[in-house]
Amino acid sequence: MIPARSELVIGSLIVSADGHGEETEVLNPADQEVIGYAPVADAELVDQAVTAAADAFPSWSKLPATRRASHLSAIASWIRSDTLRLAHILTLEQGKPLSEATGEVQAAAKAFDYYAAEAVRVYGQTIPTESETLRSLVLRQPFGVVAAITAWNYPLGLMSWKIAPALAAGCTVVAKPSKEAPLTVLEVVSGAVRSGLPAGVLNSVNGGGGTVGNLLASHPKVAKITFTGGTETGRHLLKLAAEDVKSVLMELGGHSPMIVAADAPMDRAVADGVKRSFRNAGQLCNSVNRIFVVRSVADEFIGRFAASAARLVVGPGLDQPEPDIGPLTNAETRDNVEDHVADARRRGAEVLVGGTRPDAERLSRGFFFLPTVVVGTDEMAMMNTETFGPVAPIMVVEDLDEAILRANALQFGLVSYLYTRDLRTALEGAERLEFGTVNVNNVGGGDVPFPYPGWKHSGLGVELGHQGLEEYLRTKHVRIEIGYR
Ligand code: NAD
């Protein structure tokens, strides 16, 4: 079932991991067993992939949008038909429970279906001119070759949010997943090409960020870099893009606050807070990273939140019955979680739940960490930088104004959560929170039909929704004089 040796698609060339060339080993984070190999692209292969994409661009961009849409629908159907196998690979390489992996695969299919429908909704404009014989048209045209570089926490979801709109717009793509968890993306690129996509339209490369990612992003034939990952990497890519004046779409790190007002619907706040703090073991750009609860309801909220978190079950994502939380994806992420918990303890915070690795011998080889609830202040490192782990820090505040002030104090501006029963508090709070998404009394969002912009240091541009398609189109003004003789 597992592609022990996966492959890269470079135009019409398939490069398989065969044990001879350079390869990355992909580990199961639940036990550190090797579950697959992926070929690493060298400079020549990166160049071939970009060149194949550049060569395919003229015909792909000229193809009628209805036909590009059919290709995207075919990819969606193929993903759906192979959901179980893909989800299995995803759990093995990334660690999340199988039902969550299944949800991610379904979300990828949804992205291809959504952008198949959007592909035919690219509209230009005509602008009235000052002359009877002058016409002014505004066209929207694809950029060209797109380099899509993504993180490992939602490897397939994040990549499909880039490939689908880019292809729908008429761009061609070279996809570079994270070498931590590349297998599912490489499978989907191979499957998409086998489902009939013309050679060169979608290509894949694999390898480290500093090497392969860098080569790809700085390639002169790449017109746009679309990136999801950490803010530091984003800064680096922005500098690279500036050298060559490339267009960018940046989805960067988040540090989402959750505000629990005095009139919060408490059942919902507790259930949603626990769900969004620990989903995917906290490895979410829109994870609840810091909770500000107003003093009058703090005891009730903290007590119920801690009790609920303590009931969560940790284990390998393929276990049955299924655990709530799988392992962290790598040792570095767990080290960071442990550092943040140690920092909180040093600052006098109270660790109400978890705070350690689990005891169970069968989990000792995996990168597991117990769901952890900490009560302290926003001086703790975990309240200032991403922990990217199953840790929920809570701070008691006096009122809503203090909560909003503290929520806005960081440079992260991806997602925020506000719990209140009052419509005015909800609307005014949503207007004051400096985040691309404000969720009121829910933890949805990050879903294909809706825009998902990062504000401040959390990004540039808009992924998802119709705007997520517009990102791959540039504007051309055509001015035509028809009164000549
Ligand atoms: P990362 O920035 O280390 O890596 C992301 C991708 O960039 C990987 O494919 C990596 O190989 C590549 N890369 C790294 N250095 C590079 C370089 N110098 N040149 C070109 N490519 C390079 O991030 P990560 O550790 O994989 O993922 C975690 C981060 O992603 C977190 O900060 C998280 O918040 C963020 N993230 C953001 C969103 C969002 O939508 N805003 C979604 C998911 C994850």
Side-chain angles (χ1 to χ4, degrees):
M1 181 173 253
I2 297 310
R5 300 194 174 275
S6 63
E7 58 193 26
L8 305 181
V9 176
I10 297 182
S12 46
L13 176 72
I14 302 289
V15 181
S16 299
D18 59 3
H20 295 104
E22 204 193 329
E23 297 173 359
T24 45
E25 278 184 353
V26 184
L27 302 183
N28 179 351
D31 57 15
Q32 296 193 58
E33 292 295 322
V34 177
I35 50 130
Y37 300 86
V40 171
D42 56 15
E44 201 183 324
L45 284 179
V46 173
D47 180 56
Q48 283 178 26
V50 177
T51 303
D55 291 347
F57 176 68
S59 52
W60 180 249
S61 55
K62 270 194 227 118
L63 203 64
T66 46
R67 290 188 47 203
R68 286 202 301 272
S70 301
H71 280 293
L72 292 184
S73 300
I75 297 173
S77 302
W78 171 75
I79 293 174
R80 284 211 174 85
S81 72
D82 215 5
T83 298
L84 281 180
R85 189 181 68 91
L86 292 169
H88 195 90
I89 299 168
L90 181 50
T91 289
L92 278 175
E93 68 173 335
Q94 196 276 332
K96 66 189 55 165
L98 188 61
S99 63
E100 283 183 34
T102 305
E104 185 173 339
V105 175
Q106 288 164 341
K110 182 175 170 182
F112 282 97
D113 268 342
Y114 177 84
Y115 285 107
E118 287 297 303
V120 297
R121 298 194 181 117
V122 173
Y123 306 122
Q125 274 181 317
T126 58
I127 299 178
T129 67
E130 65 277 14
S131 152
E132 277 178 26
T133 58
L134 196 58
R135 299 290 182 274
S136 208
L137 313 178
V138 179
L139 309 182
R140 301 284 288 148
Q141 294 188 318
F143 271 97
V145 178
V146 169
I149 302 177
T150 49
W152 46 258
N153 58 333
Y154 280 84
L156 181 58
L158 299 176
M159 189 57 93
S160 62
W161 289 358
K162 297 186 180 303
I163 294 174
L167 296 186
C171 293
T172 53
V173 176
V174 181
K176 193 205 87 65
S178 169
K179 74 177 189 343
E180 299 285 334
L183 300 178
T184 322
V185 169
L186 297 182
E187 277 295 290
V188 166
V189 172
S190 304
V193 171
R194 291 203 174 96
S195 76
L197 210 55
V201 169
L202 176 60
N203 309 273
S204 53
V205 293
N206 171 56
T211 49
V212 176
N214 224 48
L215 285 165
L216 174 61
S218 55
H219 197 291
K221 287 184 185 158
V222 166
K224 177 148 194 144
I225 302 169
T226 177
F227 172 72
T228 301
T231 299
E232 268 322 302
T233 314
R235 264 197 199 98
H236 169 76
L237 290 174
L238 282 169
K239 286 180 195 151
L240 275 188
E243 293 279 315
D244 208 16
V245 197
K246 292 186 199 305
S247 174
V248 294
L249 170 56
M250 295 275 145
E251 286 286 324
L252 308 178
H255 201 286
S256 310
M258 172 180 179
I259 296 175
V260 183
D263 63 350
M266 198 50 79
D267 290 353
R268 180 118 206 184
V270 170
D272 283 1
V274 169
K275 186 169 158 192
R276 220 12 155 225
S277 296
F278 302 113
R279 187 181 164 85
N280 200 22
Q283 301 167 117
L284 232 77
C285 53
N286 57 359
S287 201
V288 165
N289 296 111
R290 44 197 171 121
I291 301 174
F292 298 108
V293 55
V294 168
R295 189 172 297 284
S296 58
V297 291
D299 285 350
E300 182 189 358
F301 177 80
I302 293 170
R304 291 180 59 184
F305 187 95
S308 177
R311 285 194 291 273
L312 296 173
V313 176
V314 176
L318 291 179
D319 266 10
Q320 286 301 328
E322 198 174 78
D324 299 296
I325 302 181
L328 291 155
T329 302
N330 54 39
E332 196 188 339
T333 305
R334 185 171 62 183
D335 290 349
N336 187 46
V337 173
E338 290 183 329
D339 288 350
H340 277 193
V341 173
D343 166 86
R345 285 201 164 102
R346 268 198 307 278
R347 292 173 194 274
E350 205 182 341
V351 179
L352 298 183
V353 177
T356 61
R357 302 176 186 193
D359 289 337
E361 173 56 28
R362 68 183 284 261
L363 303 182
S364 62
R365 283 182 51 77
F367 304 122
F368 293 94
F369 199 81
L370 289 175
T372 297
V373 180
V374 176
V375 178
T377 69
D378 61 5
E379 284 174 355
M380 298 183 290
M382 61 174 66
M383 275 205 149
N384 289 280
T385 57
E386 277 186 302
T387 308
F388 231 54
V391 178
I394 305 177
M395 178 179 182
V396 179
V397 294
E398 295 311 320
D399 55 26
L400 200 69
D401 281 346
E402 182 186 350
I404 292 178
L405 201 72
R406 289 185 189 276
N408 285 342
L410 301 187
Q411 280 304 325
F412 292 105
L414 193 60
V415 175
S416 55
Y417 302 94
L418 172 59
Y419 283 75
T420 175
R421 283 198 173 85
D422 182 62
L423 187 57
R424 181 172 175 169
T425 305
L427 277 175
E428 286 183 354
E431 285 162 8
R432 288 170 65 195
L433 284 161
E434 297 164 1
F435 294 82
T437 298
V438 180
N439 284 76
V440 179
N441 299 330
N442 76 92
V443 287
D447 188 12
V448 171
F450 313 105
Y452 190 55
W455 281 26
K456 294 155 81 174
H457 290 189
S458 291
L460 277 178
V462 182
E463 194 147 78
L464 300 184
H466 183 78
Q467 280 164 288
L469 174 70
E470 294 287 338
E471 287 284 343
Y472 296 95
L473 297 162
R474 52 189 165 177
T475 299
K476 179 181 281 176
H477 178 212
V478 181
R479 194 172 152 89
I480 309 174
E481 174 58 61
I482 57 171
Y484 56 84
R485 301 212 175 274

mmCIF file of all heavy atoms in Angstrom, residues 7-26:
data_model
loop_
_atom_site.group_PDB
_atom_site.id
_atom_site.type_symbol
_atom_site.label_atom_id
_atom_site.label_comp_id
_atom_site.label_asym_id
_atom_site.label_seq_id
_atom_site.Cartn_x
_atom_site.Cartn_y
_atom_site.Cartn_z
ATOM 1 N N GLU A 7 8.127 8.947 -6.672
ATOM 2 C CA GLU A 7 8.744 9.458 -7.903
ATOM 3 C C GLU A 7 8.500 10.949 -8.093
ATOM 4 O O GLU A 7 7.544 11.512 -7.545
ATOM 5 C CB GLU A 7 8.207 8.676 -9.106
ATOM 6 C CG GLU A 7 6.698 8.748 -9.243
ATOM 7 C CD GLU A 7 6.143 7.734 -10.232
ATOM 8 O OE1 GLU A 7 6.759 6.682 -10.451
ATOM 9 O OE2 GLU A 7 5.064 8.014 -10.789
ATOM 10 N N LEU A 8 9.401 11.550 -8.851
ATOM 11 C CA LEU A 8 9.232 12.951 -9.246
ATOM 12 C C LEU A 8 8.723 12.972 -10.685
ATOM 13 O O LEU A 8 9.108 12.127 -11.494
ATOM 14 C CB LEU A 8 10.566 13.697 -9.203
ATOM 15 C CG LEU A 8 11.346 13.677 -7.895
ATOM 16 C CD1 LEU A 8 12.625 14.495 -8.033
ATOM 17 C CD2 LEU A 8 10.500 14.213 -6.745
ATOM 18 N N VAL A 9 7.878 13.957 -10.980
ATOM 19 C CA VAL A 9 7.402 14.145 -12.356
ATOM 20 C C VAL A 9 8.047 15.417 -12.895
ATOM 21 O O VAL A 9 7.848 16.503 -12.351
ATOM 22 C CB VAL A 9 5.871 14.283 -12.393
ATOM 23 C CG1 VAL A 9 5.399 14.575 -13.807
ATOM 24 C CG2 VAL A 9 5.213 13.020 -11.860
ATOM 25 N N ILE A 10 8.858 15.255 -13.937
ATOM 26 C CA ILE A 10 9.569 16.398 -14.511
ATOM 27 C C ILE A 10 9.287 16.413 -15.999
ATOM 28 O O ILE A 10 9.912 15.679 -16.767
ATOM 29 C CB ILE A 10 11.073 16.286 -14.184
ATOM 30 C CG1 ILE A 10 11.201 16.364 -12.663
ATOM 31 C CG2 ILE A 10 11.888 17.352 -14.913
ATOM 32 C CD1 ILE A 10 12.527 16.327 -12.083
ATOM 33 N N GLY A 11 8.274 17.178 -16.406
ATOM 34 C CA GLY A 11 7.810 17.110 -17.792
ATOM 35 C C GLY A 11 7.362 15.693 -18.081
ATOM 36 O O GLY A 11 6.574 15.119 -17.335
ATOM 37 N N SER A 12 7.918 15.096 -19.160
ATOM 38 C CA SER A 12 7.515 13.713 -19.447
ATOM 39 C C SER A 12 8.475 12.706 -18.809
ATOM 40 O O SER A 12 8.341 11.497 -19.003
ATOM 41 C CB SER A 12 7.422 13.495 -20.956
ATOM 42 O OG SER A 12 8.549 14.042 -21.569
ATOM 43 N N LEU A 13 9.405 13.207 -18.008
ATOM 44 C CA LEU A 13 10.381 12.322 -17.356
ATOM 45 C C LEU A 13 9.886 11.939 -15.947
ATOM 46 O O LEU A 13 9.442 12.796 -15.189
ATOM 47 C CB LEU A 13 11.703 13.102 -17.240
ATOM 48 C CG LEU A 13 12.859 12.460 -16.513
ATOM 49 C CD1 LEU A 13 13.445 11.335 -17.359
ATOM 50 C CD2 LEU A 13 13.947 13.506 -16.231
ATOM 51 N N ILE A 14 9.962 10.661 -15.632
ATOM 52 C CA ILE A 14 9.613 10.201 -14.279
ATOM 53 C C ILE A 14 10.915 9.775 -13.604
ATOM 54 O O ILE A 14 11.633 8.929 -14.143
ATOM 55 C CB ILE A 14 8.647 8.995 -14.319
ATOM 56 C CG1 ILE A 14 7.364 9.332 -15.085
ATOM 57 C CG2 ILE A 14 8.336 8.484 -12.922
ATOM 58 C CD1 ILE A 14 6.423 10.284 -14.405
ATOM 59 N N VAL A 15 11.216 10.360 -12.458
ATOM 60 C CA VAL A 15 12.440 9.998 -11.734
ATOM 61 C C VAL A 15 12.034 9.225 -10.490
ATOM 62 O O VAL A 15 11.417 9.777 -9.575
ATOM 63 C CB VAL A 15 13.235 11.263 -11.327
ATOM 64 C CG1 VAL A 15 14.510 10.883 -10.589
ATOM 65 C CG2 VAL A 15 13.554 12.106 -12.554
ATOM 66 N N SER A 16 12.367 7.945 -10.455
ATOM 67 C CA SER A 16 11.943 7.115 -9.315
ATOM 68 C C SER A 16 13.066 7.002 -8.302
ATOM 69 O O SER A 16 14.239 6.986 -8.669
ATOM 70 C CB SER A 16 11.595 5.711 -9.789
ATOM 71 O OG SER A 16 10.547 5.788 -10.707
ATOM 72 N N ALA A 17 12.677 6.902 -7.028
ATOM 73 C CA ALA A 17 13.664 6.581 -5.997
ATOM 74 C C ALA A 17 14.034 5.118 -6.213
ATOM 75 O O ALA A 17 13.179 4.248 -6.144
ATOM 76 C CB ALA A 17 13.058 6.781 -4.618
ATOM 77 N N ASP A 18 15.287 4.854 -6.549
ATOM 78 C CA ASP A 18 15.662 3.471 -6.883
ATOM 79 C C ASP A 18 16.804 2.971 -6.020
ATOM 80 O O ASP A 18 17.368 1.906 -6.271
ATOM 81 C CB ASP A 18 16.060 3.391 -8.367
ATOM 82 C CG ASP A 18 17.230 4.326 -8.673
ATOM 83 O OD1 ASP A 18 17.735 4.974 -7.725
ATOM 84 O OD2 ASP A 18 17.620 4.414 -9.851
ATOM 85 N N GLY A 19 17.157 3.737 -5.001
ATOM 86 C CA GLY A 19 18.245 3.309 -4.132
ATOM 87 C C GLY A 19 19.614 3.681 -4.662
ATOM 88 O O GLY A 19 20.615 3.388 -4.038
ATOM 89 N N HIS A 20 19.663 4.336 -5.821
ATOM 90 C CA HIS A 20 20.960 4.701 -6.388
ATOM 91 C C HIS A 20 21.247 6.198 -6.266
ATOM 92 O O HIS A 20 22.251 6.607 -5.730
ATOM 93 C CB HIS A 20 21.043 4.266 -7.865
ATOM 94 C CG HIS A 20 20.990 2.781 -8.003
ATOM 95 N ND1 HIS A 20 19.868 2.122 -8.435
ATOM 96 C CD2 HIS A 20 21.895 1.831 -7.707
ATOM 97 C CE1 HIS A 20 20.104 0.813 -8.422
ATOM 98 N NE2 HIS A 20 21.328 0.620 -7.985
ATOM 99 N N GLY A 21 20.315 6.997 -6.770
ATOM 100 C CA GLY A 21 20.528 8.449 -6.696
ATOM 101 C C GLY A 21 20.318 8.947 -5.272
ATOM 102 O O GLY A 21 20.063 8.172 -4.351
ATOM 103 N N GLU A 22 20.405 10.288 -5.101
ATOM 104 C CA GLU A 22 20.191 10.842 -3.761
ATOM 105 C C GLU A 22 18.708 10.761 -3.403
ATOM 106 O O GLU A 22 17.838 11.079 -4.226
ATOM 107 C CB GLU A 22 20.663 12.303 -3.735
ATOM 108 C CG GLU A 22 21.023 12.742 -2.323
ATOM 109 C CD GLU A 22 21.200 14.246 -2.212
ATOM 110 O OE1 GLU A 22 21.626 14.869 -3.202
ATOM 111 O OE2 GLU A 22 20.908 14.764 -1.135
ATOM 112 N N GLU A 23 18.408 10.317 -2.182
ATOM 113 C CA GLU A 23 17.008 10.146 -1.768
ATOM 114 C C GLU A 23 16.830 10.638 -0.340
ATOM 115 O O GLU A 23 17.775 10.617 0.450
ATOM 116 C CB GLU A 23 16.624 8.664 -1.781
ATOM 117 C CG GLU A 23 16.692 8.047 -3.148
ATOM 118 C CD GLU A 23 16.483 6.540 -3.147
ATOM 119 O OE1 GLU A 23 16.305 5.944 -2.058
ATOM 120 O OE2 GLU A 23 16.507 5.975 -4.240
ATOM 121 N N THR A 24 15.605 11.075 -0.009
ATOM 122 C CA THR A 24 15.319 11.337 1.401
ATOM 123 C C THR A 24 14.567 10.139 1.953
ATOM 124 O O THR A 24 13.716 9.564 1.281
ATOM 125 C CB THR A 24 14.447 12.600 1.611
ATOM 126 O OG1 THR A 24 13.373 12.583 0.673
ATOM 127 C CG2 THR A 24 15.234 13.864 1.431
ATOM 128 N N GLU A 25 14.900 9.770 3.180
ATOM 129 C CA GLU A 25 14.144 8.745 3.900
ATOM 130 C C GLU A 25 12.986 9.438 4.590
ATOM 131 O O GLU A 25 13.185 10.475 5.215
ATOM 132 C CB GLU A 25 15.007 8.148 5.017
ATOM 133 C CG GLU A 25 15.955 7.085 4.582
ATOM 134 C CD GLU A 25 16.673 6.499 5.801
ATOM 135 O OE1 GLU A 25 16.526 7.014 6.918
ATOM 136 O OE2 GLU A 25 17.369 5.515 5.600
ATOM 137 N N VAL A 26 11.808 8.859 4.472
ATOM 138 C CA VAL A 26 10.670 9.450 5.168
ATOM 139 C C VAL A 26 10.325 8.553 6.349
ATOM 140 O O VAL A 26 10.149 7.337 6.197
ATOM 141 C CB VAL A 26 9.460 9.601 4.215
ATOM 142 C CG1 VAL A 26 8.313 10.295 4.920
ATOM 143 C CG2 VAL A 26 9.877 10.383 2.968
#
